[in-house]
Amino acid sequence: MLVCKELDRSRPGDAGEPGITGAGSADASDDTVPVEPWQVHKLRPDEVYLTRWRRTGPDAFHIRARRPSRHPFYRVAADFDPLLLCETVRQTFPLLCHAAYDVPRGYQLIWDRIRYDVDDAAYAGVDRGPDVELDVRCFDVSYRGKYPTALSLRAVVSWGGLPVATVDTRFTVQSRAVYQRLRGAYADTEAAVAKALPAPASAPCAGTGRQRAGDVLLASPVDGGRRLRVNPNHPIYFDHPVDHVPGMLLLEAAHQAVGGAVSTLDCTFHRYVELDTPCTVVTTPLDPDAQPADSGSGAVRWTRITAVQDGRQRFTADLVPYAAPVLVDSGRVAR
């Protein structure tokens, strides 16, 4: 296992890998530090969206990111893609763990939950340029010895200088040895991928937010649900081999289940979704009495997406599909 060197916390933003030129550039007065692909657990440099970071407080950070000008999967330019938002925030987990909290290279980061709320400005159809900034605060940090074992994170995301989203999330941090004990036979990534089930035929692209059948994660409806389609060779969902269905793939499946555009998402990862067993995605409109306590106006319509495998819930997401705001008689904005 490769382990990064001890980081100097007295130096704001010690990246831990001297001598490597990172993404982005800065003048001599810039106290930010470049981001390297290994710090965000990506093999392909062009899939690294964070560029530079600096510490702004004991557990507070300012992170720069850049949206790609073109991309074979994510919607870019004037289109807001909530999955690109999720991936950008996801990359902050390993970055801050390795560079700010001294977690050794090779540790596993496991998602617990994530919620985001997107402002209408994100869906205004305006190209706000490539620059994205995240003001991040970490809290509820648990330690075992000198390394954190879990932490929560809140990120305020600005696109082209305009705040467009707030993201709250929590994840755990596990050593390789602990992860292998937890996963048992599934810890052998090569064996787990070799046992992956063939993906069923995809549902039509229309209504998923994707334009290519290979990117569609849902099969046509059968018996009240849709089979999850998993292709371990997909270049975006599987940037590198993993022994289970990635959290980002489950998030995308939830987005596709309601057409791709979402204004609020609140989800929990209950258990790993395995590659060798069928998984069914169920979409259920929530009754007003079953909606989250902070759902606000009754005009908001929540939908629950559930991933079920071997008869057990593995993933749930309560979300609000995005619809352009309209004025009701009172003059208030409703959906």
Side-chain angles (χ1 to χ4, degrees):
M1 179 176 66
L2 296 175
V3 180
C4 66
K5 74 178 184 69
E6 286 291 313
L7 309 185
D8 183 354
R9 292 192 179 185
S10 66
R11 294 168 54 196
D14 185 346
E17 291 285 316
I20 302 176
T21 301
S25 61
D27 58 36
S29 63
D30 193 343
D31 62 352
T32 61
V33 173
V35 175
E36 306 299 335
W38 73 267
Q39 292 178 307
V40 299
H41 296 183
K42 284 291 186 182
L43 292 181
R44 297 171 53 188
D46 57 344
E47 293 302 318
V48 178
Y49 302 121
L50 308 186
T51 58
R52 304 188 71 87
W53 74 281
R54 63 184 173 90
R55 191 189 296 271
T56 58
D59 293 289
F61 310 90
H62 183 80
I63 301 174
R64 299 181 192 170
R66 286 184 70 84
R67 288 164 50 95
S69 59
R70 296 182 303 276
H71 200 274
F73 176 72
Y74 295 118
R75 297 186 295 274
V76 293
D79 292 324
F80 178 79
D81 190 335
L83 196 73
L84 180 56
L85 166 71
C86 292
E87 171 59 21
T88 302
V89 173
R90 186 211 62 78
Q91 292 187 11
T92 69
F93 307 170
L95 170 66
L96 295 179
C97 279
H98 294 312
Y101 290 97
D102 300 4
V103 172
R105 196 169 177 175
Y107 273 48
Q108 301 292 312
L109 308 183
I110 311 301
W111 234 337
D112 184 5
R113 61 181 184 270
I114 180 173
R115 171 171 177 144
Y116 71 67
D117 295 274
V118 176
D119 191 271
D120 288 333
Y123 287 111
V126 177
D127 186 352
R128 304 187 187 281
D131 295 330
V132 175
E133 296 185 337
L134 301 91
D135 287 298
V136 176
R137 181 175 65 88
C138 298
F139 57 98
D140 290 343
V141 184
S142 301
Y143 283 89
R144 181 180 295 117
K146 61 181 179 178
Y147 302 136
T149 57
L151 64 84
S152 296
L153 177 155
R154 165 166 283 198
V156 177
V157 182
S158 298
W159 176 19
L162 181 71
V164 293
T166 301
V167 184
D168 290 276
T169 187
R170 185 167 178 82
F171 59 95
T172 60
V173 184
Q174 298 168 345
S175 69
R176 173 62 68 178
V178 170
Y179 182 79
Q180 289 179 332
R181 289 197 299 270
L182 175 67
R183 296 293 287 146
Y186 284 109
D188 185 333
T189 300
E190 184 175 346
V193 171
K195 293 190 294 183
L197 296 178
S202 69
C205 293
T208 67
R210 295 299 168 197
Q211 298 180 342
R212 291 178 296 274
D215 295 334
V216 176
L217 296 176
L218 302 173
S220 296
V222 176
D223 297 330
R226 288 177 279 186
R227 273 279 306 277
L228 182 69
R229 304 182 67 248
V230 181
N231 173 14
N233 295 315
H234 193 282
I236 305 302
Y237 298 132
F238 290 85
D239 169 82
H240 54 278
V242 292
D243 59 53
H244 58 277
V245 175
M248 285 296 298
L249 188 148
L250 295 173
L251 284 173
E252 170 65 2
H255 287 89
Q256 290 187 14
V258 296
V262 174
S263 60
T264 297
L265 176 141
D266 193 346
C267 80
T268 302
F269 301 89
H270 302 287
R271 299 176 178 87
Y272 293 100
V273 176
E274 308 298 353
L275 299 169
D276 62 354
T277 306
C279 180
T280 301
V281 176
V282 180
T283 304
T284 308
L286 291 183
D287 294 330
D289 292 342
Q291 293 179 6
D294 60 349
S295 60
S297 169
V300 174
R301 296 291 181 258
W302 287 78
T303 299
R304 175 163 294 170
I305 310 299
T306 307
V308 180
Q309 190 175 61
D310 287 332
R312 306 177 73 181
Q313 288 188 1
R314 305 292 175 128
F315 165 85
T316 56
D318 293 342
L319 49 81
V320 179
Y322 182 79
V326 297
L327 290 178
V328 297
D329 292 341
S330 66
R332 294 175 56 197
V333 170
R335 298 216 178 264

